[in-house]
Amino acid sequence: MGEFKHKIRVSWFETDAAGVVHFSNYYKFFERAEMEFWRSLEIDYKKIMKEYNIWLPRVEASCKFISPCYFDDELEIRLTIGGLARKSIRYNFQVWNLSTAKLAAEGHMTVVSVSKDTNRSVAIPSGIADSLKDFI
Amino acid sequence: MGEFKHKIRVSWFETDAAGVVHFSNYYKFFERAEMEFWRSLEIDYKKIMKEYNIWLPRVEASCKFISPCYFDDELEIRLTIGGLARKSIRYNFQVWNLSTAKLAAEGHMTVVSVSKDTNRSVAIPSGIADSLKDFI
Amino acid sequence: MGEFKHKIRVSWFETDAAGVVHFSNYYKFFERAEMEFWRSLEIDYKKIMKEYNIWLPRVEASCKFISPCYFDDELEIRLTIGGLARKSIRYNFQVWNLSTAKLAAEGHMTVVSVSKDTNRSVAIPSGIADSLKDFI
Amino acid sequence: MGEFKHKIRVSWFETDAAGVVHFSNYYKFFERAEMEFWRSLEIDYKKIMKEYNIWLPRVEASCKFISPCYFDDELEIRLTIGGLARKSIRYNFQVWNLSTAKLAAEGHMTVVSVSKDTNRSVAIPSGIADSLKDFI
């Protein structure tokens, strides 16, 4: 079961007055890792929208915040596929803080395949589902 | 069991290229409602930090995204207390879109009481716990 | 010459690790004041986009950061019209920190009228230009 | 006169309902380039804060938005030193959109050297000023 890794450097604007990364940013880190994951499969998100004519809107996201991240820390986002259903994909994430060598956060996002024309959920195109085979 | 309500207008910068509120903003809406909730109890978050010498860092947050919100929509964030433990508080949230009359999102945040001096979890000060009595 | 005022409460997520509002947020405050300004003229931005079929993209924005704003401070954004040309509008802004009674920031934004169909700049519709008469 | 270049990929959460990068994000791009610039000089911003005991708060920032950037575009931020005074540094920025081969934005940020102890402006430490010699 494959794992995709993406590194991110904490920006100053991602911190808050407690001196740590504001929790809302972890969801943005998840999304950045997701986009780089699709790019690594050579089926980037622009292509998903244009060729397959679908969006992948989020229907659920959760995160546990385990240890704080600070300005300029280097983070590694690890993405695995937690589930693939006919119309939805679940990504699981871990955020490892390479600067503190600690697990910083752990969470998931579930996305649904939605036609850009009808705005209704549709089966995940087989070209997309197939590309995930090394991660199931 | 009390419920606290806070209204928010969707800003342009909270939308994304799908024309809807980006999902990461719902967590910010939760936080804004949380702050206004404490203010409504006359025990605002600044006071929590200064007088009680604690933070309330988030240890977990989740959200289900049920129906989209658009630029300029008026939202009502409804906060209830989902649980009060010795050291933690769970807030439950619903985001009602008053412009579409639909439930837009539903989620929770769990915060832990942490001493600003020792950086360790401590019992929630009784002054704070008592203030929640109408919401339990 | 009219002035429009809009109040904003500083959110926790708008602060950074220096304990103050991150400078990028002032531009968001400007935009929120701009939207409320149009609403106050009963010609809100949704209407501008739908009825007049134009956008008002920003072509320039600047800000001087004069004194810091902190979490939970109450701010008053003051908007005046700094200039009205055939195709562009210049808004001037002051951000007054009501909690510290100091001028926090001062800046401007210039927007251009652009057709949503052709994506080219066009004259500001007279209905919009006329609505600004009390502010020139 | 040296120029520092830093590449950034546009994230989905940086776009708005017009389908383009929201203007407030360009200031964040400036800041990310600034941090990577200091890192490239082996005098990263953490070191500036810890060893030299100063902050470099922004006192002014401006930007002209010249051509739009879209989701997933690759941007190159180019930083030059526009001025070095006793207590302040002016950075000039250009944002080149490598995906459209167009200049997307152009702006500046001016920062002031402020003692973390006294909160007053102080001369830029010579170690910092000297490190800029190839960029003046």
Side-chain angles (χ1 to χ4, degrees), chain D:
Chain D
M1 195 189 80
E3 185 179 50
F4 173 76
K5 296 176 180 179
H6 177 63
K7 282 189 186 146
I8 281 172
R9 178 76 68 171
V10 173
S11 292
W12 180 260
F13 57 77
E14 289 163 340
T15 60
D16 66 22
V20 301
V21 170
H22 188 264
F23 82 105
S24 63
N25 289 305
Y26 290 91
Y27 301 96
K28 296 184 177 179
F29 298 160
F30 290 176
E31 191 175 86
R32 279 169 67 185
E34 176 198 15
M35 298 301 163
E36 295 305 322
F37 169 66
W38 288 112
R39 192 188 322 284
S40 77
L41 300 179
E42 291 176 8
I43 181 171
D44 67 63
Y45 195 66
K46 254 181 177 161
K47 190 172 167 184
I48 289 176
M49 291 190 287
K50 281 181 190 161
E51 293 192 14
Y52 293 103
N53 200 36
I54 59 164
W55 311 97
L56 295 175
R58 284 86 255 272
V59 291
E60 199 176 313
S62 71
C63 193
K64 291 186 186 182
F65 311 102
I66 297 163
S67 74
C69 295
Y70 302 92
F71 166 62
D72 225 35
D73 282 357
E74 200 178 20
L75 311 184
E76 184 175 272
I77 319 299
R78 298 185 187 166
L79 179 161
T80 53
I81 298 295
L84 176 62
R86 205 172 76 86
K87 295 179 170 183
S88 68
I89 303 168
R90 179 189 167 110
Y91 313 100
N92 289 337
F93 297 95
Q94 286 191 325
V95 179
W96 284 86
N97 187 333
L98 304 183
S99 302
T100 61
K102 286 185 182 167
L103 178 63
E106 203 163 36
H108 91 285
M109 272 192 338
T110 302
V111 298
V112 168
S113 171
V114 167
S115 160
K116 288 183 73 176
D117 287 336
T118 65
N119 220 17
R120 290 180 165 278
S121 64
V122 292
I124 294 168
S126 59
I128 295 177
D130 290 352
S131 73
L132 298 175
K133 65 180 186 304
D134 293 341
F135 291 86
I136 306 294

Side-chain angles (χ1 to χ4, degrees), chain A residues 16-19 22-24 27-28 30-31 55 58-66 68 70 109 119, chain B residues 16-19 22-24 27-28 30-31 55 58-66 68 70 109 119:
Chain A
D16 67 21
H22 188 264
F23 82 105
S24 63
Y27 302 95
K28 295 184 178 180
F30 291 176
E31 190 175 85
W55 311 97
R58 283 88 256 270
V59 291
E60 198 177 313
S62 71
C63 193
K64 290 186 187 184
F65 311 101
I66 297 164
Y70 303 92
M109 271 192 339
N119 220 17
Chain B
D16 66 22
H22 188 266
F23 82 105
S24 62
Y27 301 95
K28 295 184 178 179
F30 290 176
E31 191 174 87
W55 312 96
R58 282 90 256 271
V59 290
E60 199 177 313
S62 72
C63 192
K64 291 186 186 181
F65 311 102
I66 298 163
Y70 303 92
M109 271 190 341
N119 221 17

Side-chain angles (χ1 to χ4, degrees), chain B residues 74-86:
Chain B
E74 200 178 19
L75 311 183
E76 185 175 88
I77 319 299
R78 297 186 189 168
L79 180 160
T80 52
I81 297 295
L84 176 62
R86 205 171 76 86

